[in-house]
């Protein structure tokens, strides 16, 4: 396992480098197909936008909210009951300004410089950066292709597990697009209980399983509330990324301590945003299946097209991303991404941006229509980049 301590120098942000290169290509007149950032291009439902608009016209809605409205708590409780079979009390729910903000700050509720927090490699960067901000040490547990990118508990030495304070887990997984089944979560809860580890589960993509299965909640596992919390977001499910609506859910003590910390840095979620969240959760739900079908069509166009031209890219099992091994002739994922961008105008993210175990892979975001995906495939084959 690799360990990272607070204060150690971090690599420069590859996303910024890609954006700079993209702007140069656009300025030169090139047509760019940007598959790097996971920002949905699907539209929100109109009834959600109207709920936000109505609330925004009421001057009373511009005061500090401080906490969740009764309507929002009821909506979240109904959502988790009907969708996941999980019953939540008021004290087990807290709204946060997106899962990224929540994961960035939750460690301050229980961790500090003498603590160890485990995070996945490869993993979304905030899974490590958040704990590092508390001064804690981060231990990176490896995810491997041969294990379908699922955590193998045997990869965590016993002496590491015995001193770990918390563990970040995320399925469906960004960046690898892998999923985990109920038996995995049952082992996770048992492992957390045995080693007294707090589980922080990111569940942002449970409604974007692309393998025909139904996503589940970590909290649906017996005993899960005793060992951790889950973050769930409206961003991808309802196309509300800019609204920044997510929830920390589960263990009452963790939620209470997290709320006490956030009360020092935040005055609650803007009332019109809460109104929009209520409308999304309680209104028509056709958007959920529509989004899933839309991402599946894009995945099939990209992954199926790339396989036809000789690049063996597996179908994503979940999320809005595709995870692909780079052609063997390239020495690094960054080298491949930069050459791909220059030759084709297609932008993806090097796997090394997500950790050492991600080297040799790239991540594509399914953020353009199928016909644009097919165009990306055509550019790739015409460029000859796969053959050298």
């Amino acid at each position: 396992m690799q360990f990272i301590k607070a204060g150690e120098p971090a690599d420069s942000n590859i996303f910024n480098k890609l954006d700079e290169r993209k702007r140069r290509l656009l300025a030169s007149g090139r047509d760019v197909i940007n598959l790097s950032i996971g920002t949905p291009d699907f539209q929100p439902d109109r009834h959600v936008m109207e709920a936000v608009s109505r609330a925004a016209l009421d001057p009373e809605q511009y005061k500090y909210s401080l906490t969740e409205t009764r309507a929002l708590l009821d909506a979240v409780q109904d959502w988790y009951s009907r969708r996941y079979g999980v019953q939540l009390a008021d004290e087990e729910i807290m709204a946060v300004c997106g899962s990224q903000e929540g994961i960035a700050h939750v460690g301050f509720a229980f961790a500090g410089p003498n603590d160890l927090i485990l995070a996945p490699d490869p993993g979304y960067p905030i899974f490590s950066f958040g704990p590092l901000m508390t001064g804690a040490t981060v231990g990176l547990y490896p995810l491997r292709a041969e294990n379908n990118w699922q955590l193998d508990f045997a990869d965590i030495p016993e002496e590491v597990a015995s001193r770990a304070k918390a563990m970040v887990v995320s399925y469906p997984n960004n960046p690898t697009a892998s999923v985990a089944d109920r038996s995995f979560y049952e082992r996770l809860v048992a492992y957390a209980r045995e080693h007294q580890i707090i589980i922080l589960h990111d569940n942002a993509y449970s409604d974007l399983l692309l393998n025909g299965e139904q996503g589940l909640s970590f909290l649906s596992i017996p005993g899960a509330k005793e060992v951790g919390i889950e973050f769930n977001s409206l961003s991808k499910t309802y196309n509300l990324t800019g609204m920044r609506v997510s929830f920390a859910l589960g263990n009452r003590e963790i939620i209470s301590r997290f709320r006490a910390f956030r009360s020092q840095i935040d005055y609650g979620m803007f009332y019109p945003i809460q109104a929009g969240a209520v409308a999304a959760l309680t209104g028509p739900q056709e958007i959920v299946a529509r989004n899933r079908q839309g991402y599946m069509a894009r995945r099939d166009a990209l992954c199926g097209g790339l396989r036809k031209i000789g690049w063996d890219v597996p179908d994503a099992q979940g999320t809005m991303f595709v995870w692909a091994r780079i052609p063997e002739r390239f020495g690094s994922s960054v080298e491949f991404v930069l050459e791909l961008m220059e030759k084709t105008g297609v932008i993806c993210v090097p796997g090394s941006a997500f950790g050492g175990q991600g080297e040799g892979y790239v991540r594509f975001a399914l953020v353009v229509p199928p016909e644009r995906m097919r165009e990306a495939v055509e550019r790739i084959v015409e460029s000859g980049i796969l053959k050298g």
Side-chain angles (χ1 to χ4, degrees):
M1 290 185 63
Q2 179 184 357
F3 296 90
I4 307 172
K5 294 184 178 180
E8 291 184 354
D11 292 335
S12 57
N13 191 328
I14 185 61
F15 293 99
N16 290 337
K17 290 183 178 180
L18 293 176
D19 187 61
E20 291 173 6
R21 187 70 63 93
K22 178 195 73 175
R23 283 188 272 114
R24 287 203 298 271
L25 289 176
L26 291 172
S28 69
R30 294 280 298 279
D31 178 43
V32 167
I33 301 178
N34 188 0
L35 307 181
S36 62
I37 305 297
T39 301
D41 60 321
F42 297 137
Q43 299 297 304
D45 274 343
R46 185 166 185 82
H47 70 272
V48 176
M49 295 187 285
E50 289 175 346
V52 176
S53 300
R54 285 193 301 270
L57 291 173
D58 180 358
E60 291 298 312
Q61 303 297 301
Y62 287 81
K63 298 177 180 178
Y64 293 135
S65 61
L66 299 181
T67 188
E68 300 78 25
T69 63
R70 182 69 259 166
L72 184 58
L73 289 172
D74 289 344
V76 172
Q77 288 165 346
D78 179 67
W79 171 39
Y80 256 64
S81 177
R82 73 171 188 268
R83 174 63 182 82
Y84 302 109
V86 173
Q87 307 305 313
L88 293 169
D90 291 357
E91 298 78 17
E92 296 171 334
I93 303 169
M94 184 177 65
V96 294
C97 297
S99 292
Q100 179 148 323
E101 181 270 315
I103 294 169
H105 289 139
V106 67
F108 289 99
F110 55 78
N114 295 321
D115 292 313
L116 172 65
I117 298 179
L118 306 179
D121 177 9
Y124 193 61
I126 198 64
F127 296 161
S128 298
F129 184 73
L132 287 173
M133 289 197 299
T134 71
T137 296
V138 172
L140 297 175
Y141 61 82
L143 305 181
R144 308 181 194 279
E146 57 268 28
N147 200 38
N148 193 28
W149 304 102
Q150 286 190 14
L151 163 63
D152 183 344
F153 296 99
D155 282 331
I156 303 176
E158 185 61 32
E159 63 272 17
V160 173
S162 65
R163 66 185 184 92
K165 188 71 171 286
M167 175 188 292
V168 183
V169 179
S170 178
Y171 293 99
N173 183 265
N174 177 10
T176 69
S178 62
V179 301
D181 59 16
R182 190 171 187 84
S183 65
F184 169 83
Y185 286 109
E186 290 171 345
R187 296 194 303 275
L188 178 64
V189 170
Y191 186 85
R193 181 180 289 133
E194 177 186 354
H195 295 93
Q196 298 184 326
I197 294 175
I198 296 169
I199 299 299
L200 306 173
H201 182 245
D202 179 27
N203 198 26
Y205 299 99
S206 61
D207 276 319
L208 290 183
L209 263 69
L210 309 180
N211 58 6
E213 299 177 1
Q214 182 85 332
L216 54 77
S217 166
F218 160 71
L219 299 178
S220 68
I221 306 302
K225 287 184 184 179
E226 299 170 16
V227 299
I229 65 172
E230 173 167 279
F231 290 92
N232 205 331
S233 170
L234 307 192
S235 292
K236 308 308 192 302
T237 304
Y238 297 97
N239 308 325
L240 301 173
T241 50
M243 271 179 52
R244 312 309 303 139
V245 181
S246 185
F247 303 93
L249 309 156
N251 185 275
R252 295 177 186 228
E253 181 180 355
I254 298 172
I255 297 295
S256 176
R257 294 172 67 175
F258 193 17
R259 188 182 295 278
F261 168 77
R262 290 187 84 255
S263 71
Q264 302 300 310
I265 62 172
D266 184 71
Y267 285 105
M269 183 174 288
F270 187 38
Y271 282 125
I273 291 178
Q274 295 198 44
V278 171
L281 293 173
T282 62
Q285 298 296 301
E286 288 83 359
I287 190 173
V288 180
R290 188 167 68 244
N291 282 348
R292 185 162 53 243
Q293 291 164 2
Y295 285 123
M296 289 174 68
R298 294 172 176 202
R299 176 204 63 185
D300 293 347
L302 180 64
C303 297
L306 291 174
R307 288 196 296 271
K308 285 182 180 178
I309 65 173
W311 189 357
D312 187 17
V313 176
D315 288 337
Q317 299 172 324
T319 76
M320 57 186 295
F321 302 108
V322 166
W323 187 242
R325 183 181 288 277
I326 65 174
E328 291 184 0
R329 71 180 184 86
F330 287 91
S332 73
S333 55
V334 170
E335 177 190 346
F336 172 74
V337 165
L338 294 179
E339 185 169 329
L340 180 72
M341 190 184 309
E342 291 296 333
K343 287 186 173 181
T344 70
V346 176
I347 309 176
C348 58
V349 180
S352 58
F354 304 99
Q357 294 292 326
E359 182 54 87
Y361 291 82
V362 291
R363 190 196 74 177
F364 294 97
L366 301 172
V367 291
V368 299
E371 57 270 22
R372 193 74 160 146
M373 290 294 186
R374 287 188 281 271
E375 182 180 348
V377 173
E378 291 173 4
R379 291 189 191 183
I380 291 171
V381 69
E382 291 172 359
S383 72
I385 193 172
L386 301 182
K387 298 179 179 179

